[in-house]
Amino acid sequence: MTDLSAAGAVRLSRLLHRDDVAAVFTGSLPDEPGPLVVTLGNERAVGARRSTFLDWAGRVTRLSTHPHIAAVHAVGLTGTARPYLAVQTTRTSLSDRLRQSGPLTPGFCRAIGVALSDALATVHSIDLIHGAVHPATTLLGGGDQLLLAGFDATAPLLARPLRKSAYTAPEHLDAASAGELAVSPAADVYDLGTLLYGALGGRVPWLTTEGGSLGDPLLRAAPVPDIPGVSTVLTDILAVCLTADPRMRPTAAQLRDALSTMDISAAPAPGRRPKTVAAELAPTGGPRPAVAPTVTDLAIPARPAAEPNRQGRLGRTTKTIAVAALAVAFLGGASLATYAATRTTDDSEASCPTEDELATAAATWFGDGTTVTETICADGFVGLTVRKPTPLRGGVGAGDDISKVVAHRVQGRLQQVGDACGTDVPQKIRDYVTGCVS
């Protein structure tokens, strides 16, 4: 596999992590301040996998409007069809905060819970799943601005199975043990409940009981203990999120509403609040690096030659009884208005036609059997390499006629450009078409 110095328009600078699915780099964009974290897949997106990734990419960019989701600054395919995702990052994660400063106050924890559950509700509303709501993927910016990152955990061609941990939902323990990827909205809520419970200094039974085991079904079904000095109302809500039956957990939206309206000062459990967070609930590492460290030793060599960007980037107990009662209340449902969109994106390459549009247009222009083998988009124009079947002499067999054409969208339909080398065609496209002289 060849190392690259760029993924689309994103310049890669340092390698943070590499596994059998993807590599993670620090990166930057000329028009965006601050560092990015870039996940670059090892495998090429071809055939159906290409359209699957691009569909996911189109949806994940919509999440950048949420104030508590790390902004996606670039996502797409490199010139060699390797998928990549570049997201906003910071120098600090919630995991860092918990290890350095200890448990959160109930008020701050509730605020984090409202923000993250609203973010998850938005994710789930467009049929996406996060898959790794961990302290390491929860970023803290200036003024403790909260940002959920780590969406590569479920991205087509970028996802990899996570090891079994305290954050693995009970219904997915077998899959995790087998090295399989298993995610669901209910598991996202389980992750968030574990994160919030741990952030308060709570100790879950399957980690704190002597001889306990992550996969012990009896311990996983045990009541979640109260946390000294923390409202039992709050811990009862989190206990429902940690129930072993995913059907009894609230949705992300229901959890947000419950946390928004609860009285965090009501009925604190006796005793002094914990001063430390269990190491298993604030691990030093995450599914993949979500923050850009200031120092790393692995530099990325420059790419030897420029590649065409085939697919442009896309813009931017009694306890048990109480828990059961809460689950019923959750399942009854409630709703609050979600946060208003505060961010817009502007990227001309986001209008690149879909694979189906290109295939339909090529067949219309050159007849059935025509295939599109390569594309490049810029400023509303698209350059295509098409393979056209042509009959051989005598009408027996078929040959291949390979051509490059340029098209743009007119009144919603793709039309060929008469002069592919004309001055109205972007230079990037003219460079792609053989025979054009600058």
Side-chain angles (χ1 to χ4, degrees):
M1 182 179 62
T2 303
D3 283 322
L4 300 178
S5 62
V10 183
R11 304 301 299 177
L12 305 179
S13 53
R14 294 186 182 275
L15 178 65
L16 302 178
H17 169 83
R18 190 189 295 279
D19 55 50
D20 58 350
V21 176
V24 182
F25 305 90
T26 57
S28 61
L29 281 168
D31 55 346
E32 293 289 347
L36 305 176
V37 165
V38 187
T39 306
L40 177 64
N42 296 339
E43 295 188 33
R44 296 173 63 241
V46 295
R49 298 196 303 173
R50 179 171 176 239
S51 57
T52 297
F53 177 81
L54 292 176
D55 172 71
W56 176 88
R59 283 185 286 158
V60 81
T61 55
R62 293 160 56 185
L63 298 175
S64 293
T65 60
H66 196 286
H68 297 297
I69 292 179
V72 174
H73 288 283
V75 57
L77 303 177
T78 68
T80 55
R82 291 171 62 186
Y84 67 90
L85 172 69
V87 299
Q88 173 186 358
T89 188
T90 68
R91 303 286 186 195
T92 304
S93 70
L94 179 60
S95 193
D96 298 327
R97 170 72 174 265
L98 294 175
R99 293 197 314 271
Q100 294 166 6
S101 304
L104 304 181
T105 64
F108 188 26
C109 189
R110 191 261 293 272
I112 286 179
V114 171
L116 289 180
S117 56
D118 189 72
L120 282 180
T122 301
V123 171
H124 297 164
S125 73
I126 58 172
D127 297 324
L128 291 180
I129 298 171
H130 187 278
V133 184
H134 297 181
T137 59
T138 303
L139 311 182
L140 296 173
D144 281 337
Q145 178 194 17
L146 193 72
L147 297 170
L148 181 61
F151 285 90
D152 58 337
T154 53
L157 294 172
L158 299 180
R160 61 169 182 152
L162 299 182
R163 291 178 298 177
K164 186 167 63 174
S165 76
Y167 289 86
T168 307
E171 65 272 21
H172 296 327
L173 284 169
D174 289 343
S177 297
E180 298 174 354
L181 180 66
V183 295
S184 64
D188 277 350
V189 171
Y190 186 93
D191 277 4
L192 180 53
T194 304
L195 181 152
L196 297 174
Y197 187 82
L200 289 166
R203 266 64 173 169
V204 289
W206 45 95
L207 293 180
T208 58
T209 302
E210 184 176 353
S213 167
L214 285 171
D216 189 327
L218 292 178
L219 290 176
R220 284 291 183 134
V224 176
D226 289 327
I227 303 172
V230 175
S231 170
T232 57
V233 178
L234 176 54
T235 52
D236 283 351
I237 289 174
L238 300 181
V240 184
C241 299
L242 296 177
T243 183
D245 186 347
R247 297 168 299 178
M248 297 297 289
R249 295 175 204 146
T251 65
Q254 290 167 346
L255 176 59
R256 173 200 62 206
D257 296 347
L259 292 172
S260 298
T261 56
M262 67 158 292
D263 180 1
I264 59 172
S265 65
R272 291 189 175 184
R273 285 179 45 213
K275 295 185 178 181
T276 60
V277 172
E280 299 89 346
L281 298 177
T284 56
R288 282 195 180 114
V291 296
T294 55
V295 178
T296 186
D297 296 327
L298 300 173
I300 303 305
R303 183 173 55 188
E307 303 174 304
N309 186 11
R310 178 182 305 173
Q311 180 69 42
R313 67 184 175 103
L314 301 178
R316 340 229 264 178
T317 74
T318 54
K319 170 77 75 174
T320 303
I321 296 173
V323 167
L326 274 169
V328 172
F330 275 132
L331 294 172
S335 64
L336 291 176
T338 59
Y339 293 96
T342 59
R343 189 178 188 132
T344 59
T345 59
D346 182 13
D347 191 331
S348 60
E349 292 184 350
S351 61
C352 191
T354 66
E355 191 173 37
D356 288 343
E357 286 181 288
L358 293 170
T360 300
T364 300
W365 299 331
F366 305 113
D368 292 341
T370 301
T371 59
V372 178
T373 61
E374 188 176 62
T375 64
I376 181 172
C377 298
D379 299 332
F381 288 78
V382 57
L384 305 85
T385 298
V386 296
R387 185 186 299 271
K388 299 174 288 183
T390 56
L392 294 178
R393 182 174 297 178
V396 179
D400 284 330
D401 179 10
I402 299 174
S403 304
K404 288 185 178 180
V405 296
V406 176
H408 69 147
R409 200 182 298 277
V410 177
Q411 295 181 345
R413 300 183 63 182
L414 285 177
Q415 293 189 10
Q416 288 191 69
V417 174
D419 182 8
C421 300
T423 56
D424 57 331
V425 177
Q427 186 65 48
K428 179 178 178 180
I429 302 294
R430 285 157 46 197
D431 290 344
Y432 176 78
V433 179
T434 58
C436 289
V437 179
S438 299

